[in-house]
Amino acid sequence: MAQCVQSVQEFIQDSFVPMVAVLCSEDAERVTRKNSLSFPELLRPFCRLTSEGHLRDPNNQVVVVKGLRISVTGINTRPPQTPEMHRLLSQAVSVCQPPEGSPANVITAGDYDLNISATTPWFETYRENFLQSMPASEHEFLNHYLACMLVVSSCEAVPTEQFLKLSQEQHRIQHSGEYTHPKWFIPNTLKYYVLLHDISEGDEQRADSVYEDMKQRYGTQGCYLLKINSRSGSTGADEQMPDPWSQYLHKTSIHNPELYEESAVSNAVENNIGAEEDGLDPSIRDGPLVFADDNETHPLQLDQPTDAGYPSNNASQSVNNVDMTRPQKQASVTSHTTPTPRGTCLTLNDHDHIRQFIQEFTFRGLLPHIEKNIRQLNDQLVSRKGLSRSLFSATKKLFGGGKVPEKSIAELKNTAGLLYPSEAPELQIRKMADLCFLVQHYELAYNCYHTAKKDFLSDQAMLYAAGALEMAAVAAFLQSGAPRPYPAHYMDTAIQTYRDVCKNMLLAERCCLLSAEILKSQTKYSDAATLLIKMTSEDSDLRSALLLEQAAHCFINMRGPMVRKFAFHMILAGHRFSKAGQKRHALRCYCQALQVYKGKGWALAEDHINFTIGRQSFTLRQPDNAVAAFRHILINDSKQSAVQQTAFLREYLYVYKVRNTHSCIMEALTLFSTGEKQAATHVSLDQEFDRDLSPLWRELEERVVAVVNRGAVPITFQPSQCCLNSQTDNLRYPLAVVEEPIIVEVVFRNPLKIPLALSALCLLWKFTPKDFSDPQGNTTMALNDIIDTQVIPEFTISPEETKVARLKLLPHKTGELHVLGVVYNLGTGEVDNSEGDLMCVRGQQNLEIQGPRLNMTKEEKTSVTYGPDHRLDPIITPLMPLLEVALTQAINFFQFNT
Amino acid sequence: QSLCVHLNYPLYIRSVPTQGELKFHYTVHTSLDVVEEKISGVGKALADQRELYLGLLYPTEDYKVYGYVTNSKVKFVIVVDSSNTSLRDNEIRSMFRKLHNSFTDVMCNPFYNPGDPIQSKAFDSIVSTMMVQAC
């Protein structure tokens, strides 16, 4: 697993926090709305307590509560439904990308130097979101509401009456049995009465008097007067106010529609790209559509028909935050242009007020309440069964044999074993354990969990037992001083039970995340990796991808880093990411894995990775990377089958084409290794130049010269036939004559197992006119007036063939010529393809010839230097006499020598 | 079945049937980590009389992966179908020994450049016969 920002202890503590519900009157809601926040949202940034709290456990020992966080939510907040939750999570992950140019962590393992991001913020985001959106379960009380805040505005006509109404409402929600959600921790929930006073509007005197009245009625511990909105909303001149809400509320709304759009559309693109020529089109066409869709089905939108399980405020008279969806929705729609400012009516003083309020609520209200309940539960447990409890159950087991426990009449049987009624005595001990856990009394919590576990196991209540096991393990880990080692096998059993017996993947996943984090902190990386890999499954690609990635990080962080396992699991993670529509993450995974496979001779694996990288980059509109990746597959001596190569090539050409429409930069298409080149000048025989015959020609020429000079060959004689190759002396610029053709031979090699078709093949050159007779020559003339370039319309190379192309230039002017390279259209060898014209790209291959290695001086011998080679830079001279020989009769002219 | 010989990069790799080749390559590559772990697990002092045969590296769902390391740290990996029960530990061990012998022959070839991929007909044929036997 990668490093995390939070420590393990912080992470676990933050995963399980006391839950507080909020019930707001309509007026109070209006007051907070001024800041475009609901009341729970208003409190959220201040929910972590900075000071220590104290409470006494049943043995009258003081327990210190440090850094407690409470979670405040509206009473009708429901955990997102499964599909919605999936969407939220995948959004959170896709928005969270590695920062550009983040300090990469270089890990050296054996002969590998790997660049790996040390942290994986997307995983942490996922985990946080996942844990927060866990639905409340029957078998545990950790995320059941412990308390309820009743909030009434001071400008209400009769605030006390309103309080009474809200209180009844709360009672109705909890006790009437109409609602299955939300769940409540204890029957007598703590009610905390909050009078919300808007300083800019209301009458302060009146608020104070109402507060006095409340104190009489509910006691000083049970009520609070919260004054906010000191600033009227319009005076927003000084925008220097910190916005503590941004980090809490941004996450839930889409602020980067582009990213989201990508993740939504990408699947369609992926399927199309291989099959169709216009693979990109659907995504472009669909893009705006999907984008519009986003606003329609916004994840925050709650205006579906409310189901009976939830308290809906439409029916009741006190309308709470039903309205809240609409402003938020609008906010997110407009958020691309101007993010709605939050908390505009609050001054820093107000922030302090809120902070104080939370502190007061927790220390005076919540903690004493918890303390009281722990004490009560403890008394109950001791009085009812005492110590004989476990003894009794043991004897019962011994003598009772397989007898069904007596309480089973009240129990419902389900697949996961028993279901206790919510007030069953067996659950009381679990309740107490949970309370102790929430206030960080881990020792007592562990003991309770342990006892509860035994009870549940003996009853075969598997879900409950798994829950108790899980929390017992966590509590044992969190005990300071570590009196006992972390019982990893508890966690394993819990995970297995959750998954196999209860079929509850969410709980299993939570358990796995906790356990992996704990194991990681104890540097048991290999155990953590096994755990994470076991948790991957077919039902959620996103989860599997994230867990596999973390497993990969575990492998690399081990004492002896397992580089290859890391790479392999990265590939698996990348694959799952791409299935989950997380293109960017997929690409990143593959790129990290490539570092391991690169250049080690694992050709098939490397090709596979490169191919995937190519595709992913392409769908992410990074055509440059895509082209580079695809090129890699084709350039190297590919071991793939012909069919595969055809597919690769098609894709490459297609990507290349799309890229060119984006940006018109032409780049060298270096598919071929060019062999030797020859510049044949002067001789234009119908017969092509043949090296074996060249001495013949040379001798013939010598004889002619001898005849002309009456028998003596001059010393300055040089054969005028000139064909340059790598063996000839190429230091001088060769001379070529105007109106006589220059032929360049280029050797092409096709390394692939499929035929390639080049078309419109011709030379690329640069010409500097130099008139040798007339110094002031003008240069304004058409290209074809300077040099005729011969174009070879079709040039097919069979699989793995080496073929020579003969390219001709015919200069019309004198000057200096430089042959730079060849240009061609590259296409697949398929002729039947109707859009063959579509499937070819313009390529360019520069001809750069290295001269012979210099080996004369000492300096040259000790270093590697190469001489110049001017084969391809002929100087075009004015017309010279041209000897033309016409052979009228087919005499055996050439045989005089033999 | 798949087979491969190498020093962290493949000197020789071959598999039957050929369609699942990519998977075999990934399997073999990943198994190298286990090989290295096993080697480093054995104490330095014992390195001399170390057993070359490493035994079953790990079982996956479909395959069993066996490993063997020569004294010069050349690794041999054999992957067989886990449904193939005819192959006992002993057979695998003798397969490795045979492989090692013929590998030594290849190394004795003065024209062989250590580190190059193995292109030897004799080695090829021995591997082929072994694969035929195993199938």
Side-chain angles (χ1 to χ4, degrees):
Chain A
M1 268 174 119
Q3 296 160 24
C4 292
V5 179
Q6 287 178 308
S7 77
V8 207
Q9 278 82 4
E10 279 173 352
F11 159 64
I12 295 175
Q13 268 171 33
D14 279 3
S15 309
F16 302 105
V17 295
M19 302 275 287
V20 178
V22 167
L23 199 55
C24 248
S25 78
E26 201 174 345
D27 276 349
E29 189 64 36
R30 200 172 42 75
V31 170
T32 58
R33 268 286 146 237
K34 277 188 183 172
N35 296 304
S36 39
L37 294 162
S38 70
F39 189 74
E41 282 168 344
L42 181 76
L43 300 187
R44 199 162 301 160
F46 308 102
C47 280
R48 185 179 292 283
L49 298 171
T50 43
S51 48
E52 288 181 1
H54 299 274
L55 79 169
R56 289 179 177 277
D57 73 352
N59 302 328
N60 247 352
Q61 257 152 8
V62 178
V63 182
V64 183
V65 186
K66 275 184 224 146
L68 185 70
R69 195 172 71 94
I70 60 171
S71 160
V72 183
T73 43
I75 200 164
N76 54 352
T77 334
R78 62 184 91 180
Q81 305 298 301
T82 324
E84 197 178 334
M85 184 169 143
H86 279 305
R87 206 174 45 182
L88 276 172
L89 288 176
S90 96
Q91 227 175 78
V93 171
S94 78
V95 167
C96 186
Q97 295 292 336
E100 294 289 331
S102 61
N105 186 13
V106 178
I107 293 180
T108 310
D111 37 355
Y112 297 95
D113 283 326
L114 303 175
N115 252 328
I116 295 158
S117 51
T119 56
T120 48
W122 49 92
F123 173 68
E124 281 167 72
T125 316
Y126 170 84
R127 194 169 62 180
E128 197 186 321
N129 280 311
F130 170 78
L131 290 172
Q132 273 173 14
S133 53
M134 280 291 284
S137 173
E138 292 284 344
H139 75 290
E140 57 184 12
F141 301 92
L142 289 163
N143 48 6
H144 293 194
Y145 286 123
L146 257 172
C148 185
M149 285 184 193
L150 307 174
V151 188
V152 166
S153 164
S154 60
C155 55
E156 210 104 22
V158 194
T160 38
E161 205 161 286
Q162 194 60 246
F163 272 126
L164 215 61
K165 228 182 257 174
L166 288 183
S167 171
Q168 279 162 4
E169 171 78 11
Q170 193 275 333
H171 189 85
R172 193 172 66 83
I173 290 172
Q174 187 176 358
H175 295 287
S176 70
E178 283 174 49
Y179 307 113
T180 53
H181 288 86
K183 297 198 180 300
W184 301 91
F185 211 114
I186 329 173
N188 59 335
T189 306
L190 170 71
K191 283 178 198 149
Y192 199 76
Y193 301 85
V194 181
L195 188 64
L196 195 62
H197 179 63
D198 189 335
I199 295 180
S200 61
E201 270 181 17
D203 175 7
E204 197 150 353
Q205 298 267 303
R206 182 163 169 267
D208 283 338
S209 69
V210 172
Y211 181 54
E212 285 304 319
D213 188 29
M214 280 163 67
K215 274 201 253 184
Q216 297 279 315
R217 202 186 279 248
Y218 307 115
T220 43
Q221 313 258 320
C223 56
Y224 197 83
L225 171 63
L226 180 62
K227 298 178 184 174
I228 56 164
N229 291 4
S230 334
R231 184 162 61 161
S232 56
S234 52
T235 57
D238 48 339
E239 285 299 307
Q240 260 70 54
M241 287 290 290
D243 183 7
W245 290 274
S246 57
Q247 55 170 318
Y248 295 93
L249 300 181
H250 262 265
K251 284 178 196 158
T252 44
S253 60
I254 312 168
H255 278 256
N256 200 340
E258 203 181 317
L259 276 175
Y260 185 60
E261 174 209 341
E262 260 167 26
S263 70
V265 187
S266 43
N267 275 333
V269 178
E270 189 176 32
N271 298 338
N272 282 334
I273 174 171
E276 293 169 24
E277 307 301 338
D278 57 345
L280 195 69
D281 285 356
S283 80
I284 295 165
R285 251 184 283 117
D286 287 355
L289 273 179
V290 171
F291 176 60
D293 246 347
D294 280 356
N295 295 336
E296 290 294 275
T297 57
H298 191 273
L300 283 177
Q301 182 181 352
L302 284 175
D303 45 16
Q304 317 142 328
T306 44
D307 57 297
Y310 291 87
S312 116
N313 292 312
N314 286 329
S316 70
Q317 26 143 263
S318 79
V319 180
N320 279 338
N321 32 12
V322 169
D323 249 4
M324 84 178 241
T325 53
R326 196 138 313 134
Q328 279 219 346
K329 199 174 147 197
Q330 276 163 3
S332 84
V333 169
T334 54
S335 67
H336 321 307
T337 46
T338 50
T340 20
R342 283 176 292 257
T344 41
C345 300
L346 301 175
T347 59
L348 282 178
N349 252 343
D350 288 335
H351 290 193
D352 280 343
H353 284 158
I354 299 172
R355 203 169 285 130
Q356 247 167 36
F357 158 64
I358 294 285
Q359 199 128 347
E360 191 74 9
F361 163 73
T362 316
F363 292 154
R364 310 284 293 275
L366 189 64
L367 287 184
H369 178 70
I370 292 176
E371 183 184 314
K372 196 178 76 193
N373 275 293
I374 291 179
R375 221 174 268 272
Q376 255 173 26
L377 285 166
N378 189 52
D379 290 349
Q380 266 180 42
L381 289 171
V382 169
S383 67
R384 197 175 43 204
K385 298 252 166 102
L387 282 174
S388 69
R389 180 184 165 80
S390 52
L391 203 70
F392 175 64
S393 65
T395 47
K396 192 170 73 180
K397 233 192 304 184
L398 268 180
F399 300 111
K403 209 182 88 187
V404 188
E406 51 197 309
K407 59 212 164 269
S408 67
I409 310 134
E411 287 155 358
L412 297 158
K413 279 269 177 196
N414 72 349
T415 47
L418 301 168
L419 265 184
Y420 294 106
S422 58
E423 295 307 319
E426 284 79 5
L427 285 185
Q428 300 311 312
I429 191 157
R430 162 86 209 208
K431 230 176 230 188
M432 177 168 154
D434 281 347
L435 278 176
C436 293
F437 190 87
L438 289 178
V439 295
Q440 304 174 5
H441 191 340
Y442 298 118
E443 199 182 330
L444 187 56
Y446 173 78
N447 289 333
C448 294
Y449 282 128
H450 200 261
T451 322
K453 175 204 86 175
K454 277 192 215 148
D455 288 349
F456 294 140
L457 272 179
S458 67
D459 284 353
Q460 289 294 303
M462 293 318 286
L463 178 65
Y464 295 88
L469 275 171
E470 176 189 3
M471 293 317 291
V474 174
F477 170 73
L478 285 175
Q479 277 179 64
S480 54
R484 49 181 69 79
Y486 167 65
H489 58 283
Y490 278 21
M491 276 296 195
D492 296 343
T493 321
I495 294 174
Q496 212 180 347
T497 316
Y498 277 143
R499 196 181 44 196
D500 301 338
V501 182
C502 312
K503 307 267 182 263
N504 191 332
M505 283 312 269
L506 287 180
L507 289 171
E509 187 181 352
R510 180 185 73 181
C511 205
C512 169
L513 290 174
L514 291 172
S515 186
E517 189 63 38
I518 292 172
L519 286 171
K520 190 190 92 182
S521 76
Q522 300 180 328
T523 65
K524 290 176 183 159
Y525 286 110
S526 91
D527 293 343
T530 330
L531 198 66
L532 290 166
I533 293 169
K534 254 201 252 167
M535 207 43 222
T536 60
S537 64
E538 285 306 311
D539 61 331
S540 165
D541 284 322
L542 182 65
R543 180 200 337 125
S544 305
L546 287 162
L547 295 187
L548 279 169
E549 193 186 6
Q550 291 307 311
H553 279 281
C554 283
F555 284 123
I556 201 80
N557 282 326
M558 278 162 78
R559 210 153 40 87
M562 292 192 155
V563 189
R564 302 173 195 91
K565 279 200 163 188
F566 161 78
F568 184 61
H569 286 94
M570 267 303 187
I571 290 173
L572 293 180
H575 175 66
R576 298 307 285 267
F577 268 130
S578 83
K579 269 170 91 183
Q582 304 276 356
K583 300 278 150 186
R584 274 161 206 280
H585 287 299
L587 183 59
R588 187 180 39 75
C589 285
Y590 276 108
C591 285
Q592 292 193 347
L594 183 63
Q595 295 177 45
V596 175
Y597 285 94
K598 204 175 194 166
K600 298 277 179 193
W602 294 96
L604 280 184
E606 208 181 328
D607 284 357
H608 168 238
I609 299 171
N610 265 318
F611 182 68
T612 322
I613 289 180
R615 275 202 166 176
Q616 300 285 10
S617 320
F618 179 65
T619 47
L620 286 171
R621 325 262 159 83
Q622 301 175 346
D624 290 347
N625 293 345
V627 166
F630 277 124
R631 226 184 70 181
H632 215 87
I633 312 176
L634 294 168
I635 287 182
N636 293 346
D637 274 338
S638 177
K639 297 194 175 46
Q640 305 279 1
S641 65
V643 184
Q644 277 287 348
Q645 285 183 350
T646 319
F648 287 163
L649 182 66
R650 282 174 65 93
E651 201 123 338
Y652 175 64
L653 293 178
Y654 174 61
V655 168
Y656 208 86
K657 197 147 184 69
V658 170
R659 189 180 84 137
N660 277 346
T661 56
H662 285 316
S663 59
C664 286
I665 309 157
M666 213 54 181
E667 202 185 82
L669 186 68
T670 45
L671 273 179
F672 313 101
S673 53
T674 38
E676 81 200 78
K677 291 118 210 153
Q678 302 175 325
T681 56
H682 282 236
V683 174
S684 59
L685 300 161
D686 283 342
Q687 183 197 2
E688 300 291 1
F689 177 75
D690 185 336
R691 196 168 303 157
D692 299 333
L693 284 178
S694 69
L696 275 179
W697 282 105
R698 189 189 163 123
E699 205 171 319
L700 181 66
E701 192 180 351
E702 217 173 304
R703 281 181 187 215
V704 171
V705 172
V707 168
V708 170
N709 285 348
R710 291 190 196 88
V713 179
I715 310 160
T716 55
F717 168 76
Q718 253 198 333
S720 56
Q721 181 206 10
C722 179
C723 176
L724 303 173
N725 55 37
S726 54
Q727 264 83 48
T728 53
D729 174 25
N730 300 323
L731 285 174
R732 284 171 298 120
Y733 295 92
L735 294 181
V737 184
V738 152
E739 306 294 349
E740 284 184 33
I742 304 166
I743 296 171
V744 178
E745 285 186 348
V746 182
V747 181
F748 285 98
R749 190 174 68 83
N750 180 2
L752 303 176
K753 298 190 184 75
I754 46 170
L756 289 173
L758 307 187
S759 54
L761 180 69
C762 66
L763 285 175
L764 202 66
W765 44 260
K766 191 174 87 182
F767 187 71
T768 327
K770 223 180 246 177
D771 207 330
F772 292 102
S773 56
D774 180 21
Q776 65 267 31
N778 57 341
T779 51
T780 53
M781 50 186 108
L783 272 181
N784 272 346
D785 285 349
I786 305 173
I787 290 175
D788 260 334
T789 313
Q790 185 206 23
V791 177
I792 301 178
E794 286 284 337
F795 187 77
T796 6
I797 319 175
S798 319
E800 292 175 330
E801 190 193 22
T802 306
K803 200 170 171 181
V804 176
R806 219 176 283 273
L807 298 154
K808 196 153 70 170
L809 295 177
L810 186 63
H812 295 304
K813 296 284 165 200
T814 57
E816 284 169 13
L817 177 69
H818 301 278
V819 178
L820 299 176
V822 284
V823 285
Y824 47 80
N825 289 332
L826 173 73
T828 50
E830 297 158 33
V831 199
D832 57 337
N833 203 341
S834 55
E835 62 266 273
D837 152 78
L838 193 87
M839 283 308 285
C840 66
V841 291
R842 196 76 182 148
Q844 175 188 342
Q845 178 96 47
N846 289 337
L847 296 177
E848 276 157 17
I849 309 175
Q850 201 174 40
R853 180 165 172 194
L854 299 177
N855 208 16
M856 300 299 286
T857 64
K858 182 171 182 264
E859 205 176 307
E860 286 167 355
K861 279 176 182 167
T862 49
S863 64
V864 182
T865 47
Y866 295 91
D869 194 312
H870 295 297
R871 259 184 277 179
L872 292 176
D873 310 318
I875 296 169
I876 314 294
T877 60
L879 281 175
M880 281 192 183
L882 180 68
L883 174 68
E884 219 164 359
V885 180
L887 303 178
T888 46
Q889 276 179 333
I891 47 168
N892 222 348
F893 188 65
F894 292 102
Q895 281 184 352
F896 63 89
N897 208 9
T898 52
Chain B
Q1 269 88 359
S2 157
L3 180 128
C4 130
V5 182
H6 56 84
L7 280 145
N8 290 352
Y9 50 89
L11 296 177
Y12 185 90
I13 183 155
R14 198 155 134 200
S15 62
V16 201
T18 42
Q19 62 261 29
E21 227 178 330
L22 178 64
K23 196 160 133 198
F24 282 120
H25 286 207
Y26 275 129
T27 312
V28 172
H29 184 258
T30 308
S31 69
L32 293 184
D33 271 336
V34 186
V35 173
E36 281 193 353
E37 194 185 41
K38 290 218 174 187
I39 299 175
S40 61
V42 178
K44 285 249 158 39
L46 293 168
D48 298 337
Q49 59 261 40
R50 182 172 54 82
E51 170 74 71
L52 299 180
Y53 177 57
L54 297 174
L56 183 64
L57 296 180
Y58 60 82
T60 65
E61 280 162 37
D62 311 324
Y63 305 106
K64 280 190 249 175
V65 186
Y66 297 92
Y68 185 94
V69 185
T70 70
N71 283 321
S72 52
K73 299 279 186 292
V74 176
K75 291 150 196 154
F76 296 79
V77 176
I78 293 182
V79 184
V80 292
D81 247 321
S82 43
S83 60
N84 192 339
T85 46
S86 65
L87 285 171
R88 299 270 160 177
D89 216 43
N90 257 340
E91 275 93 53
I92 299 282
R93 193 187 292 259
S94 70
M95 269 167 81
F96 272 127
R97 203 155 294 148
K98 228 193 274 173
L99 206 60
H100 193 175
N101 284 339
S102 71
F103 177 73
T104 318
D105 290 346
V106 172
M107 291 298 132
C108 290
N109 177 2
F111 298 104
Y112 176 76
N113 211 347
D116 284 356
I118 296 173
Q119 284 164 325
S120 149
K121 276 182 193 151
F123 192 73
D124 262 352
S125 67
I126 286 183
V127 172
S128 303
T129 48
M130 261 165 46
M131 282 181 159
V132 169
Q133 275 172 10
C135 282

